[in-house]
Amino acid sequence: MAEDPVLEAAFDWLLRLQDTPEDPAVRAGWQAWRRSDPAHEAAWARVCATWRDLGEAGPLRVTPVQADTLPPVGDTRPQPPRRPMQPRPMQRRPMRHRALRRGAMMAAAAAVVAMVAVASVRPGGFAGLGADAATGVAETRRVVLADGSRVELDGRTAIRSRFDDGRREVTLIDGGAFFDVMPDPARPFIVRAGDVAVTVTGTAFDVAADGGRVVVEVASGTVRVAPARGRRVEQLAAGDRLAVDSASGAVTRGRLAPEDVGAWRDGRLFVSGATVAEVVAELRRHQPGWILITDAALGARRVTGLYDLRDPQRALKAMMRPVGGEVRAFGPLLTLVTAAG
């Protein structure tokens, strides 16, 4: 999400007012900024609402009620007297602390906006994408397809299928799914996820798609994975893992125990050398709201472990301990994963 300069300015004013609530120059500048443009007024209201919705620690020292009593642009009518603000000791925060706090708040604001569209995905939310089976947050579902093949859907997942005399095809619109395919050499079974096609005749495997990245893991049998852009076809057997990055075209192979493929079906997540971002992508399917990584370097760090998908907050904290990260929950709908310090 691109930064909104007006919203960013509103957050700047909020931080200044929080740090120096009794500074008359800061308050005068804030009032002048709000009066100068109706868009500034709207951005300020949005910032106040975000602060309130996030449940930020500590009171908002310039409350939305106080903010709303300021005269609108062009209004010269006399305003009712306000109660004088009680003085309080001033504590200057170090600049580094302020910068980190501002970055976290801007990330939080972006996440709140994003949550309107994606935080509470429900089965009906995929209707416009042509899904014929879907799940919501932390929901799993078992589906039997027209040929008898079975599919187990992870949380926040949607698929659509197409079967005819010569083709068996399922499109993974979003999320993750474990496929147990009925053998039929005359009709290969194809799973499409992004620009990746996985072809089998009869096997069990897991496919996950998130943010332009597709991961295929094989529990039994063999599969053929064909990335786009003319790259060579990859053959996978039991225990093989293949990750395809659609943006860069990078293809990465790995290994895992076949019994750990699709472990999310038992509420477990086993990863070996996965990035923090990859693990968070899976945890998002099991926690209402949004989990946001505020530091790209932290998201690229690699972790190995077994995590409990039934308790995503506990899993996040366990993952952060060895890589030097922190988990901050802002109410029930937003969690920030940040670098420690």
Side-chain angles (χ1 to χ4, degrees):
M1 178 179 171
E3 287 191 2
D4 182 337
V6 177
L7 183 63
E8 185 173 353
F11 266 98
D12 279 336
W13 282 116
L14 177 61
L15 287 179
R16 293 182 199 177
L17 291 163
Q18 288 294 103
D19 286 336
T20 57
E22 314 303 333
D23 189 328
V26 172
R27 292 181 64 82
W30 162 64
Q31 292 175 358
W33 176 82
R34 288 187 60 207
R35 293 189 182 110
S36 65
D37 191 323
H40 296 175
E41 184 70 26
W44 177 254
R46 188 173 169 192
V47 162
C48 290
T50 298
W51 182 281
R52 183 172 55 249
D53 292 343
L54 294 180
E56 173 71 10
L60 178 59
R61 297 180 186 177
V62 180
T63 67
V65 174
Q66 289 173 321
D68 292 342
T69 62
L70 291 178
V73 177
D75 189 348
T76 59
R77 294 174 296 175
Q79 299 298 311
R82 300 192 191 120
R83 294 172 55 188
M85 295 185 68
Q86 298 298 319
R88 68 179 71 197
M90 292 179 59
Q91 295 181 346
R92 294 276 183 177
R93 293 179 176 87
M95 290 302 296
R96 179 174 179 271
H97 175 82
R98 291 184 62 191
L100 290 172
R101 190 160 170 262
R102 176 184 176 279
M105 289 182 63
M106 287 301 299
V112 168
V113 174
M115 280 192 292
V116 173
V118 300
S120 300
V121 175
R122 293 178 174 82
F126 293 104
L129 300 176
D132 48 34
T135 55
V137 178
E139 176 189 6
T140 59
R141 179 181 175 189
R142 186 171 298 176
V143 178
V144 179
L145 301 177
D147 67 335
S149 297
R150 296 186 298 274
V151 185
E152 293 185 60
L153 307 183
D154 199 355
R156 287 180 172 170
T157 295
I159 62 171
R160 61 173 173 263
S161 58
R162 180 176 178 181
F163 289 77
D164 53 36
D165 292 339
R167 174 170 56 179
R168 299 184 293 170
E169 184 172 304
V170 174
T171 297
L172 178 61
I173 300 171
D174 192 29
F178 184 91
F179 296 85
D180 190 356
V181 178
M182 289 290 289
D184 187 348
R187 289 197 305 164
F189 190 101
I190 300 173
V191 176
R192 299 192 183 277
D195 53 7
V196 174
V198 183
T199 304
V200 303
T201 54
T203 186
F205 60 100
D206 188 89
V207 182
D210 182 84
R213 188 171 182 276
V214 178
V215 178
V216 181
E217 298 176 347
V218 181
S220 64
T222 60
V223 307
R224 184 179 67 191
V225 181
R229 304 183 182 181
R231 286 174 170 77
R232 72 184 183 91
V233 174
E234 302 278 349
Q235 299 286 344
L236 305 184
D240 283 339
R241 179 181 190 272
L242 187 76
V244 181
D245 188 309
S246 298
S248 65
V251 176
T252 306
R253 294 188 68 123
R255 291 283 299 172
L256 74 165
E259 59 268 24
D260 288 326
V261 174
W264 54 264
R265 296 173 295 159
D266 298 321
R268 299 181 297 116
L269 175 63
F270 173 76
V271 297
S272 178
T275 66
V276 167
E278 291 167 6
V279 178
V280 167
E282 176 62 33
L283 293 177
R284 283 175 181 148
R285 299 185 191 128
H286 298 268
Q287 176 169 302
W290 194 250
I291 305 172
L292 184 70
I293 304 171
T294 64
D295 185 288
L298 177 63
R301 293 179 187 173
R302 297 192 175 275
V303 294
T304 295
L306 180 63
Y307 304 108
D308 187 351
L309 291 174
R310 295 164 295 189
D311 191 344
Q313 287 288 319
R314 181 181 178 187
L316 278 171
K317 292 174 182 177
M319 177 174 61
M320 286 297 99
R321 277 194 289 270
V323 297
E326 295 180 348
V327 179
R328 298 181 63 198
F330 291 82
L333 293 180
L334 177 62
T335 299
L336 297 186
V337 178
T338 64

